[in-house]
Amino acid sequence: MNYTRVLLIGMLAAICSCESRNEFEIRELNLITTQPEKMAKWYEQHLNFQASNDYDLLYHDNLTITLEERKKAKHPDTLKRAYNITRLPGLYKFGFITNQFDELVTTLETSEVEMVGNVVHDNSLKRRTLIIKDPDGNRIQLFEDHGPHKLKPYFLALTVEDIGLQEKWYQMKLPLTEVYNLDLKEQSIFIRLLEGENLAVELVQLNQHKVQESLDRSQLVGYHSLKMKGLREPFQQDAEGNLLIVEN
């Protein structure tokens, strides 16, 4: 009997140890661009990525950014005007935590990187934060952190057509435990902020429906897909078809 208990405890410890080593991570971010060389050099200079010789891959620790060139890709602003909306559906902002927040902000200011507003304190996530733009206008949000990472993927922001549907999907599929309601009703904007230990997701309700189904994001400048690891259930997309890929 004692031997059986010891054996079961050992098996459970091994399983827990295995799961703890297989933590959730964002491993690859894919961007569509018309100017891969300029983009690669920007990420090298300002966020300390290392570019491949042909400028199609960028590396930083465990994260790879792939730059997929599409010479005729459209900029999102042209379609925003066509649909008469302020944001296109899908991933529109990606973010990192950094334990060198003040130093990085100072460097970015000195380099005259385009910033969206100033440093603010996020009361929900309890971190200082700043939004910047890369040469294609992709928004990158930086968050202050006191952990070991100089730069680690942490944040996704998506415009969605059904915020209730997407909120349920992200809570079920990703390691998110806290929900913050950031409704700004006077502006008819509805926002949910979902937080976990290694990830935060912001969902913003689109002011017009049925846009997503007519978009071809492979021909649109900007964030295209994400690849992740450390989740038990594999999937290829979220509830509205955004390419969030887990292949365990």
Side-chain angles (χ1 to χ4, degrees):
M1 184 68 175
N2 289 338
Y3 174 77
T4 302
R5 289 185 62 190
V6 170
L7 180 61
L8 287 172
I9 291 171
M11 291 174 63
L12 289 172
I15 292 171
C16 292
S17 174
C18 179
E19 288 184 346
S20 66
R21 290 195 299 268
N22 192 29
E23 292 182 354
F24 172 81
E25 288 184 334
I26 297 173
R27 300 301 302 272
E28 184 177 316
L29 173 64
N30 176 255
L31 293 172
I32 303 296
T33 181
T34 59
Q35 48 182 0
E37 183 173 348
K38 183 176 182 179
M39 288 279 284
K41 290 181 177 179
W42 186 93
Y43 279 87
E44 273 191 310
Q45 178 182 353
H46 301 299
L47 296 180
N48 201 31
F49 276 78
Q50 180 178 352
S52 61
N53 291 334
D54 52 4
Y55 302 111
D56 63 342
L57 295 173
L58 300 167
Y59 304 96
H60 193 290
D61 293 337
N62 290 327
L63 177 67
T64 299
I65 295 179
T66 62
L67 298 175
E68 195 166 343
E69 185 176 14
R70 294 278 192 277
K71 289 291 188 182
K72 296 183 179 180
K74 295 180 179 179
H75 195 276
D77 286 345
T78 62
L79 293 184
K80 289 176 190 176
R81 290 191 291 270
Y83 286 107
N84 191 29
I85 53 179
T86 56
R87 290 194 184 103
L88 291 180
L91 180 63
Y92 75 94
K93 191 165 52 177
F94 187 79
F96 301 88
I97 52 173
T98 173
N99 62 8
Q100 299 181 340
F101 184 80
D102 288 317
E103 297 92 326
L104 183 54
V105 170
T106 299
T107 300
L108 294 171
E109 288 175 338
T110 303
S111 303
E112 297 184 350
V113 167
E114 184 178 358
M115 299 181 178
V116 181
N118 301 309
V119 173
V120 297
H121 187 272
D122 188 306
N123 293 325
S124 298
L125 298 177
K126 299 178 177 59
R127 304 172 185 270
R128 287 188 297 156
T129 182
L130 175 69
I131 301 172
I132 61 175
K133 288 185 179 182
D134 69 16
D136 277 346
N138 298 308
R139 294 180 179 228
I140 302 164
Q141 192 156 358
L142 305 171
F143 293 88
E144 180 183 34
D145 189 63
H146 301 292
H149 303 287
K150 294 182 179 179
L151 199 73
K152 181 182 178 181
Y154 168 71
F155 181 79
L156 313 176
L158 298 101
T159 303
V160 302
E161 297 191 327
D162 187 332
I163 197 166
L165 177 69
Q166 286 286 65
E167 180 183 343
K168 290 178 182 178
W169 189 93
Y170 278 87
Q171 284 181 298
M172 290 178 60
K173 301 291 188 179
L174 299 184
L176 300 163
T177 56
E178 302 293 332
V179 180
Y180 304 99
N181 186 338
L182 306 181
D183 289 358
L184 303 175
K185 294 182 179 178
E186 69 276 10
Q187 299 179 26
S188 298
I189 298 175
F190 303 93
I191 303 174
R192 301 291 185 272
L193 180 63
L194 313 178
E195 182 188 15
E197 183 178 355
N198 299 309
L199 176 69
V201 176
E202 181 182 273
L203 304 175
V204 181
Q205 178 74 53
L206 185 66
N207 59 0
Q208 183 176 332
H209 294 279
K210 305 302 181 184
V211 176
Q212 180 85 298
E213 60 190 33
S214 63
L215 291 179
D216 180 0
R217 286 202 162 270
S218 67
Q219 302 302 320
L220 190 63
V221 169
Y223 297 117
H224 183 240
S225 67
L226 281 174
K227 289 186 178 179
M228 300 168 284
K229 61 167 286 188
L231 298 175
R232 292 182 180 181
E233 180 184 350
F235 51 80
Q236 298 292 316
Q237 58 187 30
D238 69 11
E240 291 189 350
N242 299 299
L243 297 177
L244 274 66
I245 303 166
V246 173
E247 298 175 339
N248 292 343

